[in-house]
Each structure stands twice: as structure tokens, then as C-alpha cells.
Amino acid sequence: MGIDELDGRLLELLAEEPRVGVLEASRRLQVARGTVQARLDRLRSSGVIRGFGPDVDPAALGYPVTAFATLEIKQGQGADVRAHLATVPEVLELHTITGHGDMLCRLVARSNGDLQRVIDRVVGFDGIMRASTAIVMENPVPLRIVPLVRQASRGTGG
């Protein structure tokens, strides 16, 4: 789904102020309240907006260590491995990948020592043959979407 300039401005506003109401958004964007509501409904139903939940910092919850683990799995075990990893709370994301390995997961832990416990739990499943882990030292460009929204709302590819 493509987005236009108004969608882009609405998404930027929501990114900057997630708790802004529809009425206030309509005032700031200088469009009718019904227009903002219709745009929100369309962006949600098309999957552009996935949710309005709080953006929680794992470090503030006591999990300051982040790592990425590349997993090699046994052929035909993908569904079982996914189900296993879904039971590990410290697995924040899981992606199937090409290249070296089959899956990439983002993990968090309370300390480097605790990371070993998390890794042991992750790989302690028969469908996982090998894991390679990289510990995050710094996150100079945190997950961001607004630059992509700006580009998409202009209809440009780069």
C-alpha cells in the first residue's frame, strides 16, 4: 500500500506524540476529524500501523544486554524451532534469513552471564544444530521508521 503526504504527516505526528488524540491530530494537520479517523482506520486495516502500544525499553526492565544469534536448524524443523523460541521471553524478534544460518533472533539478558543462560535455553532444543552470537556494544541508530515514512509519502525510492 502506498501512502500520500497527509498519511506521512499523520504517521510522523503519531511517532512524535503517540498519545495525541484524533481531534488534536486533526487540528494540527488542519484537516477534518473524520479525515484523520478515516486515514487511521485505513492505515490500521492495511497493516501500515501495527499497534499503539508503549515503546518499552528492555534495559529499563533490567535487560541491558542485547545480542543477535544466528541459528542453524535441522531441515524440516522450522515450525518446531519457531514454537520453541516463542516460549523464551528473552527472544524479542525472530527472522528467517538467507546466507549463513537459517534464523536470526534478537535476544536480551540481565548480564553477560545471564546471556549464557538465555543462549543455553535457545539452543537446548533438538531442532537447533548451531548458534553464533554477537553481543551489541552500542545502538547508534535505534529502530526508526520516520525517515522511511517521509520517503514513502513523497513517492520516491531513494
mmCIF file of all heavy atoms in Angstrom, residues 93-115:
data_model
loop_
_atom_site.group_PDB
_atom_site.id
_atom_site.type_symbol
_atom_site.label_atom_id
_atom_site.label_comp_id
_atom_site.label_asym_id
_atom_site.label_seq_id
_atom_site.Cartn_x
_atom_site.Cartn_y
_atom_site.Cartn_z
ATOM 1 N N GLU A 93 12.774 -10.921 18.881
ATOM 2 C CA GLU A 93 12.429 -10.993 17.461
ATOM 3 C C GLU A 93 13.025 -12.252 16.876
ATOM 4 O O GLU A 93 14.072 -12.715 17.326
ATOM 5 C CB GLU A 93 13.038 -9.825 16.678
ATOM 6 C CG GLU A 93 12.470 -8.477 16.928
ATOM 7 C CD GLU A 93 13.144 -7.453 16.034
ATOM 8 O OE1 GLU A 93 12.653 -7.244 14.906
ATOM 9 O OE2 GLU A 93 14.165 -6.894 16.444
ATOM 10 N N LEU A 94 12.384 -12.736 15.839
ATOM 11 C CA LEU A 94 12.904 -13.883 15.106
ATOM 12 C C LEU A 94 12.633 -13.658 13.626
ATOM 13 O O LEU A 94 11.518 -13.314 13.239
ATOM 14 C CB LEU A 94 12.234 -15.176 15.567
ATOM 15 C CG LEU A 94 12.630 -16.442 14.808
ATOM 16 C CD1 LEU A 94 14.102 -16.754 15.007
ATOM 17 C CD2 LEU A 94 11.772 -17.607 15.242
ATOM 18 N N HIS A 95 13.672 -13.828 12.825
ATOM 19 C CA HIS A 95 13.564 -13.680 11.380
ATOM 20 C C HIS A 95 14.140 -14.923 10.729
ATOM 21 O O HIS A 95 15.165 -15.441 11.178
ATOM 22 C CB HIS A 95 14.369 -12.472 10.887
ATOM 23 C CG HIS A 95 13.979 -11.184 11.535
ATOM 24 N ND1 HIS A 95 13.021 -10.361 11.002
ATOM 25 C CD2 HIS A 95 14.410 -10.588 12.677
ATOM 26 C CE1 HIS A 95 12.884 -9.299 11.793
ATOM 27 N NE2 HIS A 95 13.712 -9.419 12.807
ATOM 28 N N THR A 96 13.503 -15.394 9.663
ATOM 29 C CA THR A 96 14.155 -16.410 8.834
ATOM 30 C C THR A 96 15.002 -15.638 7.833
ATOM 31 O O THR A 96 14.622 -14.558 7.376
ATOM 32 C CB THR A 96 13.132 -17.315 8.121
ATOM 33 O OG1 THR A 96 12.268 -16.512 7.337
ATOM 34 C CG2 THR A 96 12.324 -18.114 9.133
ATOM 35 N N ILE A 97 16.177 -16.181 7.524
ATOM 36 C CA ILE A 97 17.151 -15.443 6.723
ATOM 37 C C ILE A 97 17.753 -16.313 5.632
ATOM 38 O O ILE A 97 17.622 -17.537 5.656
ATOM 39 C CB ILE A 97 18.283 -14.870 7.607
ATOM 40 C CG1 ILE A 97 19.027 -15.993 8.351
ATOM 41 C CG2 ILE A 97 17.730 -13.846 8.590
ATOM 42 C CD1 ILE A 97 20.285 -15.550 9.083
ATOM 43 N N THR A 98 18.435 -15.641 4.715
ATOM 44 C CA THR A 98 19.259 -16.332 3.732
ATOM 45 C C THR A 98 20.713 -16.136 4.150
ATOM 46 O O THR A 98 21.005 -15.342 5.045
ATOM 47 C CB THR A 98 19.052 -15.756 2.317
ATOM 48 O OG1 THR A 98 19.456 -14.383 2.323
ATOM 49 C CG2 THR A 98 17.611 -15.876 1.876
ATOM 50 N N GLY A 99 21.601 -16.827 3.495
ATOM 51 C CA GLY A 99 23.017 -16.680 3.825
ATOM 52 C C GLY A 99 23.432 -17.683 4.888
ATOM 53 O O GLY A 99 22.900 -18.783 4.969
ATOM 54 N N HIS A 100 24.387 -17.275 5.708
ATOM 55 C CA HIS A 100 24.870 -18.160 6.767
ATOM 56 C C HIS A 100 23.799 -18.271 7.845
ATOM 57 O O HIS A 100 23.419 -17.287 8.456
ATOM 58 C CB HIS A 100 26.165 -17.625 7.376
ATOM 59 C CG HIS A 100 27.281 -17.528 6.390
ATOM 60 N ND1 HIS A 100 27.790 -18.618 5.728
ATOM 61 C CD2 HIS A 100 27.970 -16.461 5.924
ATOM 62 C CE1 HIS A 100 28.739 -18.235 4.912
ATOM 63 N NE2 HIS A 100 28.872 -16.925 5.007
ATOM 64 N N GLY A 101 23.333 -19.448 8.076
ATOM 65 C CA GLY A 101 22.300 -19.674 9.070
ATOM 66 C C GLY A 101 20.917 -19.646 8.468
ATOM 67 O O GLY A 101 20.714 -19.316 7.296
ATOM 68 N N ASP A 102 19.950 -20.009 9.305
ATOM 69 C CA ASP A 102 18.566 -20.122 8.872
ATOM 70 C C ASP A 102 17.653 -19.114 9.550
ATOM 71 O O ASP A 102 16.638 -18.718 8.993
ATOM 72 C CB ASP A 102 18.048 -21.532 9.170
ATOM 73 C CG ASP A 102 18.895 -22.589 8.504
ATOM 74 O OD1 ASP A 102 19.008 -22.540 7.257
ATOM 75 O OD2 ASP A 102 19.466 -23.447 9.208
ATOM 76 N N MET A 103 18.014 -18.740 10.774
ATOM 77 C CA MET A 103 17.201 -17.810 11.544
ATOM 78 C C MET A 103 18.104 -16.823 12.266
ATOM 79 O O MET A 103 19.230 -17.156 12.638
ATOM 80 C CB MET A 103 16.345 -18.550 12.582
ATOM 81 C CG MET A 103 15.312 -19.462 11.998
ATOM 82 S SD MET A 103 14.352 -20.274 13.302
ATOM 83 C CE MET A 103 13.160 -21.142 12.310
ATOM 84 N N LEU A 104 17.591 -15.619 12.461
ATOM 85 C CA LEU A 104 18.300 -14.593 13.213
ATOM 86 C C LEU A 104 17.359 -14.118 14.299
ATOM 87 O O LEU A 104 16.216 -13.755 14.017
ATOM 88 C CB LEU A 104 18.683 -13.426 12.297
ATOM 89 C CG LEU A 104 19.394 -12.256 12.974
ATOM 90 C CD1 LEU A 104 20.800 -12.666 13.403
ATOM 91 C CD2 LEU A 104 19.453 -11.062 12.028
ATOM 92 N N CYS A 105 17.831 -14.152 15.538
ATOM 93 C CA CYS A 105 16.970 -13.676 16.616
ATOM 94 C C CYS A 105 17.687 -12.631 17.459
ATOM 95 O O CYS A 105 18.902 -12.672 17.619
ATOM 96 C CB CYS A 105 16.433 -14.810 17.471
ATOM 97 S SG CYS A 105 17.615 -15.931 18.174
ATOM 98 N N ARG A 106 16.891 -11.688 17.918
ATOM 99 C CA ARG A 106 17.400 -10.660 18.834
ATOM 100 C C ARG A 106 17.055 -11.119 20.233
ATOM 101 O O ARG A 106 15.898 -11.402 20.554
ATOM 102 C CB ARG A 106 16.778 -9.301 18.536
ATOM 103 C CG ARG A 106 17.296 -8.224 19.485
ATOM 104 C CD ARG A 106 16.984 -6.813 19.026
ATOM 105 N NE ARG A 106 15.585 -6.546 18.881
ATOM 106 C CZ ARG A 106 14.952 -5.530 19.469
ATOM 107 N NH1 ARG A 106 15.624 -4.687 20.236
ATOM 108 N NH2 ARG A 106 13.669 -5.348 19.265
ATOM 109 N N LEU A 107 18.088 -11.163 21.065
ATOM 110 C CA LEU A 107 17.949 -11.626 22.443
ATOM 111 C C LEU A 107 18.294 -10.507 23.406
ATOM 112 O O LEU A 107 19.077 -9.615 23.081
ATOM 113 C CB LEU A 107 18.936 -12.773 22.723
ATOM 114 C CG LEU A 107 19.021 -13.922 21.735
ATOM 115 C CD1 LEU A 107 20.225 -14.797 22.060
ATOM 116 C CD2 LEU A 107 17.747 -14.722 21.776
ATOM 117 N N VAL A 108 17.746 -10.567 24.603
ATOM 118 C CA VAL A 108 18.163 -9.680 25.680
ATOM 119 C C VAL A 108 18.461 -10.523 26.909
ATOM 120 O O VAL A 108 17.971 -11.641 27.044
ATOM 121 C CB VAL A 108 17.097 -8.601 26.015
ATOM 122 C CG1 VAL A 108 16.940 -7.623 24.869
ATOM 123 C CG2 VAL A 108 15.772 -9.225 26.401
ATOM 124 N N ALA A 109 19.278 -9.943 27.803
ATOM 125 C CA ALA A 109 19.646 -10.649 29.031
ATOM 126 C C ALA A 109 19.947 -9.628 30.115
ATOM 127 O O ALA A 109 20.192 -8.453 29.845
ATOM 128 C CB ALA A 109 20.855 -11.551 28.789
ATOM 129 N N ARG A 110 19.988 -10.102 31.357
ATOM 130 C CA ARG A 110 20.260 -9.234 32.508
ATOM 131 C C ARG A 110 21.743 -8.891 32.638
ATOM 132 O O ARG A 110 22.105 -7.878 33.210
ATOM 133 C CB ARG A 110 19.747 -9.885 33.781
ATOM 134 C CG ARG A 110 18.225 -10.022 33.789
ATOM 135 C CD ARG A 110 17.716 -10.527 35.132
ATOM 136 N NE ARG A 110 16.278 -10.670 35.135
ATOM 137 C CZ ARG A 110 15.425 -9.680 35.360
ATOM 138 N NH1 ARG A 110 15.863 -8.466 35.582
ATOM 139 N NH2 ARG A 110 14.119 -9.899 35.350
ATOM 140 N N SER A 111 22.612 -9.765 32.096
ATOM 141 C CA SER A 111 24.065 -9.560 32.157
ATOM 142 C C SER A 111 24.694 -10.489 31.121
ATOM 143 O O SER A 111 24.005 -11.325 30.535
ATOM 144 C CB SER A 111 24.596 -9.908 33.556
ATOM 145 O OG SER A 111 24.411 -11.298 33.806
ATOM 146 N N ASN A 112 26.006 -10.371 30.938
ATOM 147 C CA ASN A 112 26.682 -11.298 30.024
ATOM 148 C C ASN A 112 26.554 -12.731 30.525
ATOM 149 O O ASN A 112 26.366 -13.654 29.732
ATOM 150 C CB ASN A 112 28.150 -10.917 29.856
ATOM 151 C CG ASN A 112 28.317 -9.694 28.981
ATOM 152 O OD1 ASN A 112 27.378 -9.224 28.361
ATOM 153 N ND2 ASN A 112 29.529 -9.159 28.948
ATOM 154 N N GLY A 113 26.660 -12.907 31.824
ATOM 155 C CA GLY A 113 26.486 -14.246 32.389
ATOM 156 C C GLY A 113 25.075 -14.775 32.154
ATOM 157 O O GLY A 113 24.882 -15.955 31.846
ATOM 158 N N ASP A 114 24.089 -13.907 32.302
ATOM 159 C CA ASP A 114 22.712 -14.308 32.064
ATOM 160 C C ASP A 114 22.486 -14.603 30.591
ATOM 161 O O ASP A 114 21.665 -15.456 30.242
ATOM 162 C CB ASP A 114 21.753 -13.205 32.547
ATOM 163 C CG ASP A 114 20.296 -13.621 32.470
ATOM 164 O OD1 ASP A 114 19.954 -14.723 32.947
ATOM 165 O OD2 ASP A 114 19.492 -12.839 31.923
ATOM 166 N N LEU A 115 23.223 -13.930 29.718
ATOM 167 C CA LEU A 115 23.108 -14.210 28.284
ATOM 168 C C LEU A 115 23.457 -15.668 28.006
ATOM 169 O O LEU A 115 22.825 -16.305 27.164
ATOM 170 C CB LEU A 115 24.010 -13.278 27.479
ATOM 171 C CG LEU A 115 23.990 -13.478 25.966
ATOM 172 C CD1 LEU A 115 22.590 -13.286 25.383
ATOM 173 C CD2 LEU A 115 24.979 -12.519 25.304
#
